[in-house]
Amino acid sequence: MKNAIEVKGLTKRYKDFTLDQVSFQVPAGSIVGFIGENGAGKSTTIKAILDLIQKDAGTVELLGEKDGGRRKEVKEQLSVVFDECYFPEGLRVADVNRMMNQVYAHWEPDTFFDYCRRFELPDRKAVKEFSRGMKVKLSIAVGLSHRAKLMILDDACGSLDPIVRNEILDIFLEFIQEEDHSVFLSSHITSDIEKICDYILLIHKGRILFFENKDALLYDYGIVRCTKEQYKELPPELVVGVRENRFEVEALVNNRRALEGHSHEFVIDQASVEDILLYVVKCNVESV
C-alpha cells in the first residue's frame, strides 16, 4: 500500500461553499497535517473522505480501497476522532470498553484501560461528568485500542492543555513506527503540526493551495523584513505574500537560498508553519 489516503478531484457543492477539485494523498507511514482557516473546508473534506456526506465528484481511496469509508473491513482499520465526543453520556469507562468490544473485531481491553490510566480518566464518573478534554482523551484511547492502521483527527486536540497535547503528539509518533500506520491530522494549532508532521496540506476557501514536505517547506521559506524601497528589489517570483505597515515591509519568500544568491543585503528569518499559513492565505484573499 503506497498511500493510506488518496483523493482525486473531490468536489462537494453547497449553496454558499464549494469544495473544489481537492486532490492529495497521505503516504503510508507518515503524518500529514491539514491546515487552513475556519471555514476553509477541512471538516467537509474529512466527512467526504469518510463517506459521511455524499460527494458531487471525485474519487477517494482509504487503505487502498475505493470508497473505503463504506466498507466494513476498512472501517475496522480506521480510527476517527472529532472535536466532539459522541459516546452516550451515561456511560462509564468500563461501559465504553464493553460496547467497543462488540463493535470491533480486534478490540484490545488491556490496551484501552492502559491508555485510560495514562490519560488519568476517572473510571467511576459518567461521560457527562467529563471535561471536554477528558472526552477527547477517551475518544483517542478508543481509537488506539482496536489495531487501527489509519488515524483521522478533525481538530480533536484543540481543547487539550499543552502538556496533555504534547503527550498525545508523542503517542502519534509512536503509532506510525509501524510502516503501515498513518495519521491525517487536521488542526488549527500550527505548532503541533510543525512538531510532528511529515507533510503539510493547506486548504483555503475549498481549494488546496499546497501539499509540501514539512522539512523542505521550513528550509525553503523565509521572512524578509525591509524598507519599501528594498522590497522593490525583491525578485517577484520569490514573493509568496506581503504584509506592510508605515515603517517596513514583511515579505514571505519561497526560496531563501535563491534570494541569498541574488543579494546579500536582505536579512532573512526562518518562517514557521503559522507564518506560512498567514501570509499565503492573506495573499490569496487579496488576489480574489
Side-chain angles (χ1 to χ4, degrees), residues 47-58:
K47 289 175 182 176
I49 287 172
L50 295 171
D51 204 44
L52 298 177
I53 57 174
Q54 185 175 357
K55 56 185 181 292
D56 294 316

Side-chain angles (χ1 to χ4, degrees), residues 117-160:
R117 284 189 288 269
R118 187 169 175 177
F119 294 155
E120 298 181 339
L121 295 177
D123 55 7
R124 296 183 180 276
K125 288 186 177 182
V127 169
K128 64 183 177 183
E129 300 176 78
F130 282 17
S131 67
R132 183 181 176 89
M134 286 179 182
K135 291 177 180 179
V136 171
K137 287 189 284 186
L138 176 62
S139 298
I140 291 174
V142 169
L144 291 164
S145 301
H146 60 88
R147 302 186 195 174
K149 291 186 177 180
L150 171 62
M151 296 195 71
I152 299 176
L153 300 103
D154 186 8
D155 261 339
C157 297
S159 59
L160 301 177

Side-chain angles (χ1 to χ4, degrees), residues 217 220-224 251-256 268-271:
L217 196 70
D220 291 335
Y221 279 65
I223 296 176
V224 177
L252 179 72
V253 295
N254 57 17
N255 192 328
R256 288 191 288 163
I268 310 171
D269 297 325
Q270 184 174 7

Side-chain angles (χ1 to χ4, degrees), residues 114 145 161 200 285:
D114 282 345
S145 301
D161 66 68
I200 295 177
V285 168

Side-chain angles (χ1 to χ4, degrees), residues 60-272:
V60 175
E61 289 189 11
L62 290 178
L63 300 175
E65 298 288 340
K66 186 175 180 181
D67 292 322
R70 301 178 186 177
R71 301 169 66 94
K72 184 178 186 299
E73 61 271 26
V74 175
K75 290 180 180 179
E76 281 276 343
Q77 301 176 74
L78 299 180
S79 170
V80 182
V81 183
F82 293 103
D83 61 345
E84 296 288 342
C85 177
Y86 294 100
F87 294 111
E89 298 246 294
L91 297 186
R92 292 174 171 80
V93 165
D95 301 321
V96 173
N97 173 66
R98 284 192 289 271
M99 183 173 70
M100 293 298 101
N101 195 40
Q102 301 301 313
V103 172
Y104 292 110
H106 301 291
W107 179 251
E108 299 177 339
D110 289 344
T111 301
F112 173 67
F113 285 119
D114 282 345
Y115 277 117
C116 288
R117 284 189 288 269
R118 187 169 175 177
F119 294 155
E120 298 181 339
L121 295 177
D123 55 7
R124 296 183 180 276
K125 288 186 177 182
V127 169
K128 64 183 177 183
E129 300 176 78
F130 282 17
S131 67
R132 183 181 176 89
M134 286 179 182
K135 291 177 180 179
V136 171
K137 287 189 284 186
L138 176 62
S139 298
I140 291 174
V142 169
L144 291 164
S145 301
H146 60 88
R147 302 186 195 174
K149 291 186 177 180
L150 171 62
M151 296 195 71
I152 299 176
L153 300 103
D154 186 8
D155 261 339
C157 297
S159 59
L160 301 177
D161 66 68
I163 294 174
V164 174
R165 240 182 31 247
N166 192 66
E167 182 180 5
I168 297 293
L169 297 180
D170 287 341
I171 289 172
F172 294 159
L173 291 172
E174 293 171 12
F175 178 77
I176 64 159
Q177 293 310 302
E178 295 191 43
E179 292 183 359
D180 61 347
H181 286 186
S182 314
V183 176
F184 186 52
L185 174 62
S186 167
S187 178
H188 65 275
I189 304 176
T190 53
S191 59
D192 289 353
I193 299 290
E194 190 166 325
K195 178 179 178 181
I196 67 167
C197 291
D198 302 294
Y199 301 91
I200 295 177
L201 177 68
L202 172 59
I203 190 169
H204 172 64
K205 292 189 175 180
R207 295 186 299 113
I208 299 298
L209 297 188
F210 65 66
F211 177 76
E212 300 281 354
N213 178 284
K214 181 202 69 181
D215 290 338
L217 196 70
L218 296 179
Y219 180 82
D220 291 335
Y221 279 65
I223 296 176
V224 177
R225 293 177 174 83
C226 58
T227 65
K228 294 180 181 181
E229 291 302 315
Q230 288 174 319
Y231 172 70
K232 295 176 183 178
E233 302 300 319
L234 286 174
E237 67 273 13
L238 300 183
V239 178
V240 177
V242 181
R243 291 197 295 192
E244 186 176 336
N245 59 43
R246 290 174 56 194
F247 306 104
E248 66 175 5
V249 174
E250 296 180 358
L252 179 72
V253 295
N254 57 17
N255 192 328
R256 288 191 288 163
R257 304 303 174 275
L259 182 57
E260 288 168 353
H262 174 79
S263 173
H264 294 289
E265 293 182 6
F266 298 105
V267 177
I268 310 171
D269 297 325
Q270 184 174 7
S272 66

